[in-house]
Amino acid sequence: MAQHGKRYRRATEGVDRESLYGLAQAVDMVKSMSSAKFDETVELAVRLGVDPRKAEQIVRGTLTLPAGTGRTERVAVFAAGDDAVQARAAGADVVGSDDLVAKVANEGFVDFDVAIATPDLMGQVGTLGRILGPRGLMPNPKTGTVTTDISRAVAEFKGGRLEYRTDKVGNVHLRVGKVSFTREQIVENTQAVIDELIRAKPASAKGKYLISATLSSTMGPGVRIDLARVHDVAAEVLATSAS
Amino acid sequence: MIVGSSITIEIGDRRLLEDASFVVGAGEKVGLVGRNGAGKSSFVSVVIGEPARELRHSGNVAIRGTFGFLPQVPLPRGLGLDPSGFSHVLSGRGLDVLDDAMGKARVQMEKDPSPENIELFSDLEEQFRENGGYEAEATMARIADGLGLRQELLLEEIDKLSGGQRKRLDLVRILFQSPETMILDEPTNHLDMPAKKWLMEELERYPGALLVISHDLSLLDRSISKVLHLADGRLHEFKGTYSSYLIQREESQVRKERVSTLEAREIKRLSTLADSMRGSTVRRARVAKSIDKRVERLESTHTVARRRERVATFKLPVPRRSGGVPISANALGVRYGKLVVLNSVDLSIARGDRVVVIGRNGAGKSSLLRCLAGVQEPSAGEVKLGANVSIGYFAQEHEQIDANLTALENVSDTVLSEESRRRALLGSFGLPAKAAGQLPDTLSGGERAKLGLAMLAAGDANTLLLDEPTNNLDPASITAVAKMLSTWDGTIVVVSHDRAFVNALEPTYCLRLPDEQFTHWRDEYLDEVEAR
């Protein structure tokens, strides 16, 4: 197994990996333990009590973080005519129809984080399965990336809309900001994610649903969050910051 | 996870298993062992719920979660949507069907981009991604590489693959499928040593439950947690690794033999004492009667030690003298469509020669033997048989055995005219007496191989063409076959990947494929024997 570096080991000295921390305290710890030479992303991993082998228990969807992600997504739009004009106006980075399909197919162009398509172009976009599929970039109506309301979709993804879904063992991983964010911003985003996951709870999920949650920075150790107190602490923090 | 209870299996008038119960827990790796014909494959067929028609069985078996089964003999066409190896492997995760449905849905979506058509396509694409469809080629390539199967063969039609390649393809499929429970029947049969080691390492890492029948269990020793030993209709369970099972079994056998001997001695002593007391006084007669009762009690609880497996010895009849050159081939070529398997083979085999054909899977070894045996027409060149030559052919998949005749009926009566001698011959090759009346399909792989060898022994062949004669045989039988052939005076052409067997055969010549070089045997060729 790979060994951790000095910086990581030093950081872990301040964390009890078995203890549960309040959300605000966890955010402070993650921020203080970040020592990389770049603005690290703050990530949230939530273990859910679902059986991801059952299709009806896959938790997935999209959400927009109230404080944003701290990163501007590169959005590609497969659209023609008026839709293409709307996409450009909304701030899409790459817009095209046949030409974009050909560029992806022939040159393997995938320099974007999100792909959005209008329904009439899905027939052509579908041929790009071998290129877009493995990167999770295939537009899908369930994630709002196949739509006729192009300008709204582009604006939302540019504004920090995120896709999430359970992995093979029932965990959901999402970024909830940057280390440079304020404590309140990260708390607000984390609370929004937890709320969204509770909203998306499958009806067939049995037993405890939110099993555990861990907050970490890109290169820092994880800090376990006390989920029972997320809302109390979040409300308290947000109230404090408002006053 | 597999749970079986009160399982009884019978075939014809043979009881293979009686009232057996077992559990293969989640993540547990269990080896199933027993001599040829003990009923291992029949047991597994009942476990997976696909018993042969001839089997009668009772009891309950439940497999929890997904499971995959690797049969000893590959299915002829494969399970994919199209007849290619690629499709067969994809079918392990249902990706062949998904890929096809996705293609159709995409065409439909192109014609009519309605919300329903887009949703259908998106759902299928999602399932395809979930099941690892996009990584399928890379995963498949990694597994094929580990097993020594050239990747381009995955695109070939299954029917064009050789026996060894076909078995490897099935292994690729089940490892690609990666189910929660894996049941493997002789997975190492066609593998060379590096591939065997790779497979065993792969199985060690496999997180699910594993039930494996193999004569190479020693390679999986570290990760085996339990051994089920099938013998005399009983399923004995041994906890621990394979090597600890071997020790435990020997200790248990020695203990039982000792107890059995002591009990027999005591029974004899008491019986003699009782006999000496009879015919005397009334009082002594009464004592004798009470001793008799004690003897009866002892006899009813008498420990029976399992009979030790006999050391097999097989024998072939002395062959008639053939001409000086029993077989020769001139510019022999074989092609299947565009695929050239043999280009131009020239060989001349002298009486008494023992020729080993060496080559990787698919090099054309079986095709060559079929041409020499006259069961396949060569695409080019010719095969000449010398004077007074009588061929005995042992096919890899035992095609020489008539599936509609019983084991006994398959043994030729031209030389052995009396049925009792033919039965004795089957027995000498280790087939149980009751197997004589069975159809070949109901025999185990090892028993079929033994029947094939017995058929050779019953004929008057003086030139044997043997294609993998040791496949499916237990180690003791392999040694016996090697010994039998090495002392036989006839001419032998053999295809085998078994190093120890070839070594014991003491070959005189060697045909190396695909170079098509016919040369004197040299011991360094032994390294090439194992290469698949």
Side-chain angles (χ1 to χ4, degrees), chain A residues 86-165:
Chain A
Q86 278 182 37
R88 280 193 197 94
D93 299 276
V94 191
V95 181
S97 52
D98 300 353
D99 53 331
L100 184 55
V101 171
K103 194 174 177 184
V104 173
N106 301 332
E107 299 168 27
F109 172 76
V110 281
D111 188 18
F112 45 85
D113 305 305
V114 182
I116 300 170
T118 53
D120 56 316
L121 279 175
M122 269 306 284
Q124 291 177 61
V125 177
T127 59
L128 305 174
R130 304 275 161 199
I131 302 165
L132 298 181
R135 295 167 176 84
L137 292 173
M138 178 59 79
N140 188 320
K142 282 183 193 160
T143 56
T145 46
V146 178
T147 177
T148 46
D149 193 352
I150 289 291
S151 43
R152 188 175 152 200
V154 172
E156 280 184 357
F157 278 103
K158 286 298 248 185
R161 186 170 170 185
L162 288 175
E163 272 186 57
Y164 66 88
R165 64 174 298 135

Side-chain angles (χ1 to χ4, degrees), chain A residues 53 58 60 119-120 122-124 126-127 129-130 133-134 136 138-142 146 165 168, chain B residues 65 99 102 106 109-110 113 115 118-119 121-123 125-126 128-130 133-135 137 180:
Chain A
R53 288 171 303 179
I58 291 175
R60 63 174 303 176
D120 56 316
M122 269 306 284
Q124 291 177 61
T127 59
R130 304 275 161 199
M138 178 59 79
N140 188 320
K142 282 183 193 160
V146 178
R165 64 174 298 135
K168 279 181 188 168
Chain B
D99 193 29
M102 218 164 86
R106 195 187 59 71
M109 185 170 69
E110 212 166 349
I118 293 175
E119 198 164 323
F121 172 79
S122 299
D123 283 349
E125 193 270 338
E126 207 173 309
F128 188 77
R129 179 155 31 97
E130 293 278 309
Y134 292 121
E135 301 89 50
E137 281 178 43
E180 287 165 75

Side-chain angles (χ1 to χ4, degrees), chain B residues 34-111:
Chain B
R35 60 168 178 75
N36 285 146
K40 303 186 291 292
S41 296
S42 301
F43 171 67
V44 162
S45 73
V46 170
V47 168
I48 62 165
E50 292 174 14
R53 266 183 305 137
E54 299 77 17
L55 282 182
R56 296 184 305 280
H57 62 96
S58 59
N60 299 309
V61 184
I63 302 180
R64 289 182 198 152
T66 56
F67 84 96
F69 171 58
L70 176 84
Q72 197 176 91
V73 181
L75 296 170
R77 192 196 157 271
L79 300 164
L81 267 187
D82 65 60
S84 74
F86 188 72
S87 183
H88 176 61
V89 177
L90 283 181
S91 71
R93 291 191 197 168
L95 289 170
D96 56 334
V97 177
L98 270 177
D99 193 29
D100 185 60
M102 218 164 86
K104 286 177 183 158
R106 195 187 59 71
V107 172
Q108 192 62 30
M109 185 170 69
E110 212 166 349
K111 281 187 202 157

